[in-house]
Amino acid sequence: MNFRDIMKNAFSENRSALLYFGGGVLTALGLVVGYKYLQKPKKVTRVGVVSQLLIHPIKSGKAVSVTSAECLEMGLKFGELKDRHWLVITENGNQVTGRQEPRLVLVSMTSEGEHLCLNAPSMEELRIPVSQPRNPVVNCRVFSADIQGRDCGNEASDWLSRFLDSGKVFRLVQFEPQMRPRKAKEMEPLFPSSEKVAYPDVGAIMLLSEASVTDLNTRLEKDASVTRFRPNIVVSGCDAFAEDSWDQIEIGDVRLYRVMSCGRCVFTTVDPETGVMDRKQPLETLKSYRLCDPSEKHIYKASPLFGQYYSVKRNGIIQVGDPVYKIC
C-alpha cells in the first residue's frame, strides 16, 4: 500500500471526527466575531475634568487634597491614608462627628513614612505610628451599626480631648483590613449588596461638580466652599447638577456607577475654616430648590440633594486633570 492509499484510508476512518472538530472551531470563531461586531456599541461622551481629589482620613476631619489617588471599592487611598478609615469615638464606643463636635473639621491627618501626623489650630503636632498591633481592638457604633477599630493610643486620645475641649474623653480608632466592614445596603437599600464601607455615612465615593457649588453660591450671601460638602471627586467643565444624570462614568481605568443622590443634613452648616456651626446656611437654601421628587420621599425624606454617591466597579488610579467620560 502506497502513501497515498494510507492517507486516504486514515482520512476515511477519521472523517466524522474531523468534521465535528472543524465545525466546533467555526462555531467558536463565529461566536467571538459576532460578540465583537454585533453587540451594541456604547456611547462615550466627555462630560468634565477631575479638578480636585479629596481624602478625609478621619471621619468629619479636615480634607487632604491630593493630585492622584487609588480608587478602591472602599474609597480613595493615598499612601497610608484611606478615606474615612479613622474614627473619633466616646469612651463607650459611639461615633463622634462634626454634628456633635463641629471643631473636629479642623483636625487634619497626614502621613510621613510609618507615622501619622495630627494637626489642629493652636495644637502641637502629634506623631503616632501607622500600625499599633499591640493596642486593643474596640467595638464601635456608627449610626447604630456595629463595627470595630484599633485604638490609636492614649496620646492621641489626650490630644483630641484637649483640642475639642468639651469636658469629655475621646479616643481615635483605625479600621484595619481584617476587620468586618459595614454593608452600605443595610443603611440604604439602593446600594448593591457587595458595597462595603468602613466609617463613611453611607457610600465610599461621593462626587460633586464645581458648577453645582457655584450655582448654590449665587443664592447665598456668603459663598460656600466645595470642601464644606466633603466630596471625594470634584469635577469641573460641566453644567450645574450635570452629575445627577451620570449613571455610569469612566475616569482613567476606573469605572463608577451612580447609586443615589447625597441627602444633606445639618453638618453642611459647619464652616470648614472656623469649625463653627450656624445650623441654617447653606442647608436652608438647598431645601428651597434641591428637594427630591415626591416619588422619592421614602428615600430622601426632607433632605436636599447635593452630590452623587458612586459604587466602584473597576479599581484604578485617578489623577487631577483626568477627563470624565459618561457611558450610555
Side-chain angles (χ1 to χ4, degrees):
M1 183 181 291
N2 60 30
F3 180 75
R4 180 179 295 180
D5 292 334
I6 293 172
M7 292 302 297
K8 183 177 180 180
N9 290 339
F11 179 78
S12 298
E13 292 174 1
N14 294 283
R15 185 177 182 182
S16 297
L18 288 170
L19 288 174
Y20 279 118
F21 176 76
V25 170
L26 289 173
T27 300
L29 287 172
L31 289 173
V32 171
V33 172
Y35 178 80
K36 182 176 180 181
Y37 292 104
L38 298 181
Q39 67 172 332
K40 183 179 179 181
K42 292 183 177 180
K43 182 181 178 182
V44 178
T45 306
R46 178 167 170 159
V47 292
V49 177
V50 175
S51 59
Q52 294 185 61
L53 292 170
L54 301 172
I55 295 178
H56 309 81
I58 302 175
K59 183 176 178 66
S60 289
K62 192 180 180 80
V64 178
S65 179
V66 298
T67 56
S68 66
E70 294 179 70
C71 189
L72 308 174
E73 286 88 348
M74 291 181 65
L76 296 189
K77 179 179 182 292
F78 178 77
E80 298 294 343
L81 301 180
K82 299 178 182 180
D83 191 74
R84 294 170 174 92
H85 272 54
W86 284 263
L87 176 71
V88 178
I89 60 172
T90 61
E91 287 186 287
N92 61 2
N94 288 321
Q95 70 168 0
V96 177
T97 73
R99 301 169 183 86
Q100 301 87 35
E101 297 290 339
R103 279 166 52 82
L104 189 53
V105 302
L106 304 176
V107 177
S108 71
M109 174 185 284
T110 56
S111 66
E112 290 184 13
E114 297 180 354
H115 285 84
L116 302 171
C117 307
L118 294 175
N119 282 280
S122 302
M123 293 290 290
E124 74 286 358
E125 180 178 85
L126 177 66
R127 296 168 65 90
I128 59 175
V130 172
S131 176
Q132 302 188 67
R134 295 185 178 181
N135 287 3
V137 172
V138 298
N139 295 319
C140 316
R141 282 172 297 281
V142 176
F143 296 113
S144 300
D146 293 331
I147 192 168
Q148 292 183 318
R150 176 84 61 183
D151 192 278
C152 291
N154 292 331
E155 282 188 296
S157 173
D158 177 67
W159 190 94
L160 282 167
S161 301
R162 284 191 291 114
F163 175 69
L164 296 177
D165 193 25
S166 59
K168 302 175 184 178
V169 175
F170 300 105
R171 301 199 73 84
L172 182 67
V173 297
Q174 177 183 1
F175 183 84
E176 296 179 339
Q178 76 277 9
M179 296 175 179
R180 179 179 295 178
R182 294 155 58 231
K183 292 184 178 180
K185 193 174 184 66
E186 294 179 357
M187 287 87 76
E188 290 290 351
L190 291 177
F191 276 89
S193 57
S194 59
E195 188 84 0
K196 298 174 182 178
V197 294
Y199 304 133
D201 284 5
V202 183
I205 298 291
M206 204 272 279
L207 181 148
L208 181 64
S209 72
E210 289 183 357
S212 298
V213 179
T214 299
D215 180 89
L216 170 62
N217 285 335
T218 64
R219 307 163 193 263
L220 298 173
E221 292 184 6
K222 181 182 178 182
D223 284 356
S225 65
V226 170
T227 55
R228 182 182 287 254
F229 303 101
R230 310 183 69 76
N232 301 112
I233 302 172
V234 183
V235 178
S236 63
C238 62
D239 293 336
F241 311 112
E243 64 268 31
D244 295 358
S245 65
W246 298 344
D247 290 336
Q248 185 179 166
I249 59 175
E250 278 189 351
I251 307 173
D253 294 328
V254 175
R255 176 74 63 87
L256 301 171
Y257 285 72
R258 189 176 70 86
V259 179
M260 62 184 296
S261 299
C262 181
R264 296 301 180 163
C265 68
V266 71
F267 193 17
T268 59
T269 70
V270 177
D271 188 328
E273 301 302 320
T274 64
V276 175
M277 175 189 285
D278 74 6
R279 295 191 172 275
K280 293 184 179 181
Q281 295 296 352
L283 188 61
E284 288 187 357
T285 297
L286 283 171
K287 286 182 177 180
S288 72
Y289 77 113
R290 286 294 297 171
L291 293 178
C292 69
D293 185 272
S295 65
E296 296 181 317
K297 276 196 171 182
H298 65 289
I299 302 172
Y300 301 109
K301 301 179 175 59
S303 299
L305 311 181
F306 204 63
Q308 298 293 324
Y309 282 119
Y310 281 82
S311 178
V312 180
K313 294 303 179 184
R314 190 169 67 209
N315 297 348
I317 303 296
I318 295 180
Q319 300 184 72
V320 170
D322 278 349
V324 179
Y325 294 98
K326 177 182 177 180
I327 302 173
C328 301

